[in-house]
Amino acid sequence: MWEYLASMREAGQATRPVWPWRRALRHATPYFFIAPWVLGVLIFFAYPILASFYFSFHNYDVLRPPVWVGLRNYIDLVQNAYSRQALGNTLTYVIVAVPCGLLVGLIYAMLLNVNVRGQQVFRTLMLAPGAVPVAAGAAVWFVIWNPAFGLLNGLLGTLGPSVRQSWLVSPAMVKWVFITMQIIHGMGMLVFLAGLQGIPPEVYDAASVDGAVGLRRLVSITIPMLTPYVLYNLLISMIGAFQYFAFPMLMTGGGPVGGSTFYGQYLYDQAFNFFKMGYASALAWILFLICLLAVVVIMRSSARWVHYTGGE
Amino acid sequence: MSDRKLSRRAFLAAASTALAGAVLSACGGTPTAVPTQKPAAAPPTAVPPTPAPKTPVTIKYQTVWNVGTPNDIVTPAVQMFNDKFGPNLKAELVAVPAVEASMLTAMAGGTAPDVYHYGPDPTGLYARGVIQPLDDLIGGVSGFDPNIYLPEQWAGETWNGKKMGIPALEGSFLPAFIWNKKLVQEAGLDPEKPPTTWDEIRSWASKLTKKDTSGNIVQLGFDSLDAAGSLVQQWCQVADAAPIDQDKRKFSFDQEKLVKALELVATFWKDAGVEKVSSLAQQWAYWLGPANSGFGNGARALVLDGAWAPGQLKNVAKDKTWQFGYTWAPCLTNPGKKFLAFGGHREMMPKSCKIPAEAIKLMTYLTSLEVALKEFDVRGIACYSKPFVEKADLKRFAGLEWYFTAPKEASELWSLRNYSSPLGGQAQTLWNRATQEAIYGTKTAAQALKDINTELQKSLDDFYAAQKA
């Protein structure tokens, strides 16, 4: 485009002068087209992020000017037993729910990839729960997990009263309820399904010729070819898991005894119930750093276990 | 490329400069939307009564309640105001309930309505200087007599000697100890001789608790966290112990009286089985208003609650023939002491309100007898005021009369002032946490209260440090 304009300029140079401002305007035109996006990023992302970093070093309640406290918010975070509990609950959730959830998501995807009659119906049924609002889903789960009248204990009770569990009312058990919910839901099923459908059938044909069947095909072909999708799902699911908030907030309010208080809810309480926006900002930055560290570790390790078709 | 005056490098340099400018403005200090405020800011000068405005004025009004429900009093009250003062002066209801998160962001962003109707402890907002003092504004309103309220009602709405809120739309003295007479009789107890000590209540609770064959509770005698029992101030009153000093500088949640109160709360749960009581709480709602209220449906037999209880029970009681008894809640540490506390809602005006003279008209109108009587029709309760007590037929709801005559017999009337702090919501949340720790036995009551006291004191010290700055 620039060459064209230059040639046009040369052609018209003998007959008409090109003003400098017009030249500059021409050169700047593409940047005007991307300016709305850039401004949006600066105003709605960059500025709040940098502002939260600034406020994390202050005692700030939004309604009054911030007061500098240095690293105290970060130190408080480490020293406060409630914040450590919330972080511990969240890390447990991430470490257990994400890998298991991905595995279950992969299993679901493999089942949905089987070419059977009614395949579209099964896929629709599996994807439909994703359209249910979180609040409605929480209400249903609440009925399932209730120790007294819930569906699950009702079934377990047929095996004997001692088989019934406390579920949501046990401080030790409650976070495992949420972990189980997420595992059952499965993570990344849709992406895995896309990945499975992207594996060329010729590869399986060639493997069949070599005598590879069943589990061997799964281990030597399917999973290696899905590793890029696993990496993507792992990163996205892990980042989402660090921010887990809605279900425990709605179902248990973080109790009992903080057993289901996750980092997101703890941060929310500090910011909006306790007016401690500075401390909440520090919490957010610590979460970001932990998440960043996890992402860096996974990305560094991915060179060893992610196989891209067509070379590295 | 060489013909270009604006190179990519130049553009990136300009963009970086713009970004650096954004960073510098972020580091620049106070958010521009929030004016620098000192709690002792001078109130506006007295506003003389104004004639009806010639250009239409709309007062934006936001309530903490959900509007459009069967018990909605705010919508008819706003309509009554508009009928009386319109068409040039009218109130417009903001449909979204006023909750702390939205109020915080609205006030910080300068988009707060002109008047808030708010229920939870507002002291945190009063102390942060975002609410308009009302003394001079009230003086400019004809027809409003502050003496319709008792001193205890005003005490809770006062900060630094200035009135910050006006009690209106729900507010009365609580608690009463309430029992379901039929369930009590079925348990072999005398419904006309209620317990007078907490040990007696514990005994009653034990006899009133029934379980099914699986060990699940089908009827619980007393849940110490039901209704008014869920409020930190309730147990402060039961313990006859203020959790903070009068200067609002030093917390004392870890005092012996409150430790005893927390131990009492935990005892009721432990007596019936902690996890069983918790399961029941998930099945039957707390308080008396919801249709699935545990007490209203006979799933709980005893409760502590306020003057709204008779009106609510008339609507939600599962069996309309049920009768309920009302008497004094025992004082744990001072046996025989008759105590009540004023608890209620208030109207507040954010400092960002640009039409204070008009907004105060709405706020004072909501205290009028006609609104109170309308509220009484709709909800079976209204904010305690002398005109209301004289005019309302308190016998219309069984038990209501007790609440309006008991203040005369009480040896102490608590106000919000006794237990409020600038940390309001945090104190309640941490009390809830300490309660759970004591109930589940993860900490002793003493340790749980010591820990929350430490955290609250730190937050309070931070609050005053920011105040000085």
Side-chain angles (χ1 to χ4, degrees), chain A residues 61-84:
Chain A
D61 65 5
V62 181
L63 300 174
R64 295 178 298 173
V67 175
W68 173 263
V69 293
L71 289 173
R72 208 193 64 180
N73 286 333
Y74 292 92
I75 295 169
D76 285 349
L77 195 158
V78 174
Q79 291 181 339
N80 186 302
Y82 301 139
S83 68
R84 288 202 304 269

Side-chain angles (χ1 to χ4, degrees), chain A residues 211-231:
Chain A
V213 292
L215 191 62
R216 186 71 182 166
R217 279 157 53 125
L218 174 68
V219 171
S220 299
I221 299 174
T222 307
I223 291 177
M225 295 199 76
L226 281 181
T227 47
Y229 301 90
V230 172
L231 175 65

